[in-house]
């Protein structure tokens, strides 16, 4: 047994070039770049041992584990490149690491057989995390013999069909995480470990399918299925899986078919009271709406919903169900400032256009103190339908409390020539009616093709006092653009007109902020004459 109190050594035992603990770790700065199997060599430790007096083993191991996790970034190959390099620092380090089974629980099936055997032996009966995209039959057989110890099984596209089936047929009583990506051409049905996998909590599958009615698919905490096009589940089978998983926290379904029942056979709604994240995207027509109608999730759940529409499909058919989530956004507790963002795509960035000439438009709602958005509604549609989609979302917001006043952020609403600009102005009117208390507005332009900035800004600062001003509570305006000239000229013209006609001293704003891009010193001085406070954020003054 090792002494668990401290690692010690005398200074006379160490050569002048032997690294201390910190030096040993710093010497591995380049290891993260090494991911090839050729780097995996098991070297003999240096002699003699380097000194690290009075350092408890527990602390040493925490430092080693932290360094390995940082270097590996999820790659088991890089993990063992780093581990073997650290092990070669000295015999004392090797001795401690070899007697620390928690460092050896990762089993990379696409690494040399010698290393796989080494990891299995040195992990000393601990639960194993098995991962790989390739692997020989002999390595697979060795790993298969340890199925009773598997905690995580992650297999990628390079694994052969026979190895897939052999590994996935073994009883795995400790297995908690199953992550399988099979080649699209492989017709793989996961046999669910001979119905002996009672501990499974996480399933992530791609290009393969499950025995959807298996009772072993239950009590899940995370469930993801991607690109499932054959042997697909029925809606009832999918809902049964969810019903058997009342503690499900994350659900992600994308690019998958689901067999739809006759309307008279629809299952009762499933409550998912613990769900934290819901992502439904790129589903076949009709599937998205049926799923949204079939599950009930908490208000606090972070939802991302993505629907695709062609030019013929009615907007209401594809968007109405997903937009219902907007009805109660204002009920979410406001612990941090919130942002409601509506974004259209730049119609001339051709890389964003799919085969059917469609691009993404989206609505996002998030609070600044939260990493995930509360809600993302994304629609892939022809660019000329983007404003119509956002208008439909805005109409749903009329259900909101009139006291709800998030920051409003509008992106690429100003690139449209007439008559599309009239749709943009209609959208602004609807948003102003739904959210009259908005005090902060951000206009983002990524296109550098603002055609009608004055028409938009006139709605915010009407030159005639008889015209109703949109967002009457607005006090802060931010303009984010690469080219500020169109905005500057429109604002200064409107401000000058108001000063002359209404006797105002400036535009009815407390603060104007420009973000990004550049501005001439002359234009900056013009703006200062019509706003009480001008802020520049990452703006180059020419």
């Amino acid at each position: 047994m090792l002494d668990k109190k401290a690692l010690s050594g005398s200074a006379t035992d160490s050569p002048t070039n032997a690294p201390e603990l910190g030096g040993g770790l710093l010497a591995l700065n380049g290891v993260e770049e090494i991911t090839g199997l050729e780097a995996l060599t098991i070297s003999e430790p240096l002699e003699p041992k380097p000194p690290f007096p009075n350092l408890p083993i527990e602390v040493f191991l925490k430092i080693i584990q932290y360094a390995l996790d940082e270097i590996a970034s999820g790659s088991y190959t890089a993990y063992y490149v780093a581990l073997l390099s650290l092990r070669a620092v000295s015999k004392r380090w090797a001795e401690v690491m070899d007697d620390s089974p928690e460092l050896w629980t990762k089993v990379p099936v696409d690494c040399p057989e010698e290393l796989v055997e080494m990891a299995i032996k040195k992990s000393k009966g601990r639960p194993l995390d098995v991962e790989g995209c390739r692997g020989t039959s002999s390595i697979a057989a060795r790993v298969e013999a340890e199925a009773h110890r598997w905690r995580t099984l992650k297999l990628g596209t390079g694994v052969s069909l026979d190895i897939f089936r052999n590994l996935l047929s073994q009883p795995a009583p400790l297995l908690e995480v199953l992550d399988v990506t099979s080649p699209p051409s492989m017709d793989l049905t996961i046999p669910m470990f001979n119905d002996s996998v009672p501990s499974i909590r996480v399933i992530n599958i791609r290009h393969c399918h499950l025995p959807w009615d298996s009772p072993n698919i239950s009590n899940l905490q995370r469930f993801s299925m991607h690109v499932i096009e054959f042997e697909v589940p029925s809606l009832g089978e999918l809902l049964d899986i969810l019903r058997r998983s009342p503690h499900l926290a994350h659900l992600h379904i994308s690019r998958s078919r689901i067999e739809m029942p006759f309307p008279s056979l629809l299952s009762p709604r499933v409550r998912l009271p613990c769900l934290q994240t819901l992502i439904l995207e790129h589903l076949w027509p009709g599937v998205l709406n049926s799923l949204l109608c079939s599950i009930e999730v908490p208000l606090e759940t972070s939802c991302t919903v993505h629907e695709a529409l062609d030019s013929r499909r009615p907007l209401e058919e594809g968007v109405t169900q997903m937009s219902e989530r907007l009805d109660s956004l204002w009920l979410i507790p406001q612990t941090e400032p919130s942002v409601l963002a509506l974004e259209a795509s730049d119609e001339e960035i051709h890389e964003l256009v799919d085969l059917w000439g469609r691009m993404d438009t989206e609505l996002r709602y998030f609070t600044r103190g939260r990493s995930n958005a509360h809600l993302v509604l994304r629609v892939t549609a022809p660019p000329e339908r983007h404003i119509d989609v956002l208008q439909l979302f805005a109409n749903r917001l009329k259900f909101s409390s009139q006291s709800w006043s998030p920051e409003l952020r509008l992106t690429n609403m100003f690139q449209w020539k007439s008559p599309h600009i009239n749709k943009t102005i209609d959208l602004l009117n609807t948003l102003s009616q739904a959210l009259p208390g908005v005090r902060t507005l951000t206009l983002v332009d990524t296109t550098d093709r603002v055609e009608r900035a004055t028409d938009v800004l006139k709605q915010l600062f009407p030159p005639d006092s008889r015209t109703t001003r949109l967002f009457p509570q607005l006090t802060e305006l931010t303009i984010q653009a690469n080219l500020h000239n169109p905005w500057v000229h429109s604002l200064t013209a409107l401000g000058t007109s108001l000063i002359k006609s209404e006797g105002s001293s400036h535009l009815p704003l407390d603060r104007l902020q420009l973000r990004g891009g550049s501005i001439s010193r002359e234009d900056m001085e013009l703006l200062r004459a019509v706003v009480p406070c001008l802020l520049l954020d990452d703006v180059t003054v020419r």
Side-chain angles (χ1 to χ4, degrees):
M1 291 291 290
L2 288 173
D3 178 10
K4 294 296 183 182
K5 293 182 180 178
L7 294 167
S8 61
S10 66
T12 57
D13 289 335
S14 177
T16 55
N17 62 344
E20 295 185 3
L21 175 63
L25 295 178
L26 291 174
L28 287 169
N29 284 344
V31 170
E32 57 188 323
E33 303 299 329
I34 305 173
T35 58
L37 301 182
E38 68 279 358
L40 287 168
T41 56
I42 303 172
S43 306
E44 286 298 314
L46 299 174
E47 274 286 11
K49 58 192 176 187
F52 32 84
N54 303 320
L55 181 66
I57 286 179
E58 291 80 2
V59 176
F60 170 77
L61 289 175
K62 285 185 180 296
I63 295 172
I64 293 296
Q65 189 68 68
Y66 177 80
L68 292 173
D69 292 341
E70 285 292 302
I71 291 170
S73 299
S75 165
Y76 282 17
T77 302
Y79 179 92
Y80 276 104
V81 171
L83 178 59
L84 296 177
S85 299
L86 288 170
R87 184 178 177 274
V89 169
S90 76
K91 283 192 174 180
R92 181 59 169 159
W93 282 35
E95 182 182 282
V96 173
M97 292 181 186
D98 289 351
D99 197 47
S100 302
E102 64 271 22
L103 296 179
W104 300 90
T105 59
K106 293 175 170 44
V107 180
V109 298
D110 44 9
C111 285
E113 193 166 347
E114 180 186 7
L115 177 60
V116 172
E117 185 66 33
M118 187 180 191
I120 289 174
K121 287 183 176 179
K122 291 185 182 298
S123 56
K124 297 178 181 178
R126 296 286 184 94
L128 299 176
D129 300 311
V130 179
E131 176 183 300
C133 293
R134 297 180 299 278
T136 64
S137 56
S138 59
I139 289 178
R142 183 66 184 93
V143 172
E144 183 181 317
E146 304 296 324
H148 61 285
R149 296 171 54 194
W150 294 345
R151 175 175 54 197
T152 300
L153 183 61
K154 184 175 182 179
L155 302 176
T157 56
V159 178
S160 71
L161 180 58
D162 287 341
I163 290 177
F164 263 127
R165 287 176 173 163
N166 288 339
L167 291 176
L168 297 172
S169 298
Q170 303 306 308
L174 301 183
L175 189 68
E176 298 176 3
V177 178
L178 174 65
D179 190 324
V180 177
T181 299
S182 74
S185 59
M186 185 185 295
D187 184 22
L188 176 65
T189 298
I190 297 175
M192 285 308 291
F193 310 94
N194 200 23
D195 286 336
S196 180
V197 59
S199 301
I200 196 159
R201 296 294 177 265
V202 176
I203 293 179
N204 180 25
I205 56 173
R206 183 183 298 270
H207 292 303
C208 53
H209 38 271
L210 300 168
W212 302 108
D213 58 353
S214 170
N216 285 286
I217 310 175
S218 58
N219 295 315
L220 300 179
Q221 295 175 357
R222 304 178 70 100
F223 181 54
S224 302
M225 50 182 282
H226 311 281
V227 202
I228 312 298
E229 298 180 350
F230 306 100
E231 301 292 335
V232 298
S234 68
L235 179 63
E237 288 171 331
L238 179 58
L239 294 180
D240 284 342
I241 292 173
L242 302 182
R243 194 174 286 111
R244 294 194 300 265
S245 302
H247 300 291
L248 190 71
H250 302 275
L251 176 61
H252 187 176
I253 303 176
S254 70
R255 300 184 185 275
S256 297
R257 294 177 55 199
I258 295 174
E259 289 185 1
M260 304 304 300
F262 292 107
S264 59
L265 300 177
L266 288 176
S267 302
R269 286 169 66 91
V270 176
R271 292 188 68 251
L272 300 174
C274 300
L275 198 68
Q276 300 173 19
T277 305
L278 172 67
I279 303 175
L280 303 174
E281 54 186 357
H282 298 291
L283 300 181
W284 284 57
V287 171
L288 177 62
N289 283 348
S290 296
L291 270 174
L292 290 173
C293 289
S294 301
I295 58 177
E296 183 179 326
V297 303
L299 183 63
E300 295 79 13
T301 300
S302 175
C303 297
T304 298
V305 184
H306 189 168
E307 178 69 292
L309 301 173
D310 58 29
S311 58
R312 298 165 296 175
R313 191 175 172 198
L315 285 181
E316 291 75 10
E317 176 188 324
V319 177
T320 298
Q321 189 65 48
M322 65 191 292
S323 68
E324 286 185 1
R325 187 74 178 175
L326 294 167
D327 295 353
S328 54
L329 272 186
W330 60 276
L331 294 174
I332 297 174
Q334 301 294 315
T335 56
E336 299 285 345
S338 59
V339 179
L340 181 68
L342 285 76
E343 178 174 341
S345 294
D346 181 350
E347 59 181 350
E348 292 195 4
I349 301 181
H350 301 293
E351 293 81 359
L352 300 179
V353 179
D354 68 9
L355 293 175
W356 296 273
R358 302 174 304 185
M359 307 175 75
D360 289 347
T361 184
E362 72 174 30
L363 176 147
R364 284 180 295 123
Y365 176 71
F366 58 94
T367 52
R368 297 190 183 280
R370 217 176 114 134
S371 57
N372 293 331
H374 282 292
L375 181 65
V376 178
L377 302 180
R378 185 177 299 119
V379 177
T380 303
E384 63 270 15
R385 303 191 79 182
H386 284 190
I387 297 298
D388 295 330
V389 170
L390 297 176
Q391 179 69 56
L392 191 147
F393 289 155
N395 287 331
R396 297 293 311 198
L397 289 170
K398 291 181 180 179
F399 291 92
S400 304
S401 167
Q402 295 295 295
S403 62
W404 183 46
S405 56
E407 174 188 334
L408 190 58
R409 185 177 300 171
L410 306 177
T411 299
N412 292 341
M413 303 289 174
F414 327 104
Q415 59 182 316
W416 315 95
K417 298 180 180 179
S418 183
H420 294 297
I421 193 65
N422 297 326
K423 290 186 177 182
T424 298
I425 292 172
D426 290 342
L427 175 61
L428 290 174
N429 272 283
T430 304
L431 290 170
S432 181
Q433 295 169 28
L435 306 168
V438 165
R439 302 177 64 85
T440 303
L441 175 64
T442 300
L443 305 179
V444 182
D445 171 45
T446 66
T447 69
D448 300 339
R449 295 188 310 280
V450 176
E451 301 284 349
R452 307 286 288 275
T454 300
D455 290 335
V456 172
L457 292 173
K458 275 183 179 180
Q459 311 304 310
L460 305 177
F461 313 112
D464 186 340
S465 59
R466 293 168 294 181
T467 303
T468 302
R469 179 190 175 194
L470 301 187
F471 306 109
Q473 304 299 317
L474 184 67
T475 59
E476 297 183 15
L477 175 63
T478 297
I479 296 175
Q480 179 177 329
N482 292 322
L483 298 177
H484 287 290
N485 286 2
W487 302 101
V488 169
H489 295 161
S490 298
L491 284 169
T492 52
L494 288 170
T496 302
S497 175
L498 280 172
I499 291 171
K500 289 181 178 179
S501 63
E502 304 293 332
S504 305
S505 58
H506 52 71
L507 287 170
L509 280 176
D510 292 342
R511 185 175 76 175
L512 172 67
Q513 178 173 256
L514 302 185
R515 183 177 295 153
S518 61
I519 187 174
S520 69
R521 191 170 299 278
E522 179 183 0
D523 283 345
M524 184 175 66
E525 294 305 322
L526 290 173
L527 276 181
R528 281 179 170 162
V530 296
V531 295
C533 177
L534 176 63
L535 299 178
L536 303 183
D537 179 7
D538 195 26
V539 176
T540 301
V541 180
R542 303 189 306 275

